């Protein structure tokens, strides 16, 4: 049935699938929030996201071996920012060397585990005094006072980490694409779950609203494949919500051979 259904029905299906993926992520955060402190849960989610597909497990293990409480205690030491960053980075890198399973095969230098650890060290130094939980949840709430793309770019700027320049060339440790990925897959579903636990319904509503309107990012190979497979145009998949919907359909229906259970099959059959 792929590519034969009414595009309007297909994009509605994508929105529903994207919402289901968001709820599933928020549900995982709710379960974790029953077990540990909220700030640690957010930190673990961000670290896991920085591990990319090949290093999620080692980065999550690193976040648990070096908990946020230890990192923020260092960040609050009255030292110059560069010295704080150096201490945070040293602790993470030293502990990461003790964890087995870290994968560097076919990983671009810009995405190397070392550079991602450097990025997190700088983020923790940036927000360590107030706390990463307080700072980022506050930024999510403040985004409702901004219009259009400004809200999204402001959030991304909170996570972008530039390291300056080397040999006259500037480089970024954590750029806008990865920042957006962390916001969509970690920060917003976390805020949805945390808002419910902390009885902050405004935070939960704001997280959902931002997610539903978040612009799509540069599509990966799966999103491109599914866009073609469903006979859609790129502009039909112009939100993160719909891109997330494509990922859910691909993983839970397409590659599982469950075509007969797909709602698109029912649409094609006129059900």
């Amino acid at each position: 049935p792929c590519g034969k259904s009414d595009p309007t029905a297909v994009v509605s299906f994508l929105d529903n699938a994207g919402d289901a993926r968001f709820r599933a992520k928020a549900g995982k955060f709710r379960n974790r929030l029953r077990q540990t402190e909220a700030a640690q849960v957010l930190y673990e989610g961000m670290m896991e996201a920085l591990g990319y597909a090949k290093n999620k497990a080692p980065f999550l293990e690193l976040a648990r071996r070096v908990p946020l409480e230890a990192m923020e205690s260092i960040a609050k030491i009255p030292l110059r920012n560069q010295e704080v960053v150096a201490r945070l980075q040293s602790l993470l890198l030293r502990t990461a060397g003790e964890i087995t399973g870290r994968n560097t095969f076919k990983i671009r230098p810009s995405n190397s585990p070392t550079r991602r650890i450097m990025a997190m060290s700088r983020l923790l130094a940036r927000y360590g005094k107030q706390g990463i939980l307080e700072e980022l949840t506050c930024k999510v709430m403040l985004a409702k006072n901004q219009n259009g793309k400004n809200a999204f770019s402001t959030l991304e700027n909170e996570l972008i980490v530039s390291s300056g320049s080397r040999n006259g060339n500037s480089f970024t440790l954590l750029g806008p694409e990865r920042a957006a990925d962390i916001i969509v897959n970690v920060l917003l579903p976390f805020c949805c779950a945390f808002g419910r636990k902390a009885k902050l319904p405004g935070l939960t509503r704001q997280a959902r609203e931002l997610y539903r309107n978040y612009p799509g990012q540069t599509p990966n190979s799966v999103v491109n494949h599914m866009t073609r497979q469903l006979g859609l145009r790129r502009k039909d998949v112009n939100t993160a919500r719909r891109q997330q919907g494509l990922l859910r359909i691909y993983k839970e229906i397409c590659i599982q051979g469950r075509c007969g259970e797909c709602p698109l099959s029912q649409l094609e059959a006129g059900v």
Side-chain angles (χ1 to χ4, degrees):
C2 296
K4 299 178 183 178
S5 302
D6 176 16
T8 302
V10 175
V11 295
S12 177
F13 173 42
L14 292 187
D15 284 339
N16 291 333
D19 288 343
R21 185 171 166 91
F22 182 82
R23 288 194 299 271
K25 290 179 182 295
K28 290 181 179 179
F29 282 120
R30 277 198 302 275
N31 291 336
R32 185 62 178 152
L33 284 166
R34 297 187 185 103
Q35 303 168 353
T36 192
E37 294 294 325
Q40 175 68 20
V41 174
L42 176 58
Y43 167 61
E44 289 177 4
M46 293 175 65
M47 284 287 280
E48 190 175 16
L50 287 173
Y52 281 57
K54 294 183 178 181
N55 286 296
K56 285 182 178 292
F59 267 61
L60 178 57
E61 176 66 18
L62 177 59
R64 291 177 177 174
R65 289 199 191 187
V66 187
L68 182 65
E69 183 179 8
M71 298 295 284
E72 290 191 335
S73 66
I74 294 173
K76 292 176 182 177
I77 297 174
L79 296 171
R80 290 186 306 168
N81 186 67
Q82 289 183 336
E83 294 177 13
V84 170
V85 169
R87 291 193 182 196
L88 294 170
Q89 189 170 293
S90 175
L91 177 56
L92 285 176
L93 288 173
R94 185 171 65 251
T95 307
E98 301 169 358
I99 298 173
T100 60
R102 191 167 57 162
N103 189 346
T104 58
F105 182 64
K106 288 189 176 180
I107 293 180
R108 292 179 296 174
S110 60
N111 295 336
S112 72
T114 298
R115 291 190 70 161
R116 296 305 172 183
I117 286 173
M118 292 167 64
M120 178 54 84
S121 301
R122 284 160 174 76
L123 281 176
L124 291 172
R126 181 186 299 174
Y127 298 121
K129 290 181 174 58
Q130 295 298 322
I132 199 166
L133 173 68
E134 290 78 5
E135 287 283 354
L136 292 183
T137 54
C138 180
K139 300 300 182 184
V140 168
M141 286 301 298
L142 289 175
K144 70 180 181 181
N145 297 324
Q146 301 179 11
N147 296 320
K149 294 182 179 180
N150 288 338
F152 309 120
S153 61
T154 298
L155 275 180
E156 290 165 15
N157 286 337
E158 295 298 326
L159 295 179
I160 291 172
V161 180
S162 299
S163 187
S165 62
R166 179 179 296 164
N167 298 327
N169 298 316
S170 61
F171 65 93
T172 301
L173 290 172
L174 200 161
E177 286 283 338
R178 178 51 43 170
D181 184 77
I182 292 174
I183 291 166
V184 169
N185 289 286
V186 178
L187 181 59
L188 295 181
F190 167 82
C191 285
C192 181
F194 177 63
R196 290 184 61 179
K197 177 178 172 52
K199 294 181 172 54
L200 299 170
L203 180 61
T204 295
R205 286 194 300 270
Q206 176 68 358
R208 288 174 177 162
E209 184 69 16
L210 286 170
Y211 172 74
R212 288 173 178 167
N213 292 285
Y214 214 96
Q217 304 303 309
T218 302
N220 61 22
S221 59
V222 173
V223 170
N224 281 329
H225 165 73
M226 289 298 295
T227 300
R228 293 191 300 268
Q229 186 80 353
L230 298 180
L232 298 172
R233 299 163 297 179
R234 182 165 291 187
K235 67 178 183 179
D236 294 326
V237 193
N238 59 357
T239 65
R241 182 189 190 189
R242 290 178 181 173
Q243 290 179 342
Q244 292 286 305
L246 287 176
L247 294 174
R248 180 179 175 87
I249 296 163
Y250 175 78
K251 292 181 179 180
E252 298 190 5
I253 297 178
C254 298
I255 62 174
Q256 301 296 329
R258 297 171 56 199
C259 296
E261 302 174 40
C262 178
L264 294 181
S265 294
Q266 297 172 357
L267 288 171
E268 179 65 14
V271 176

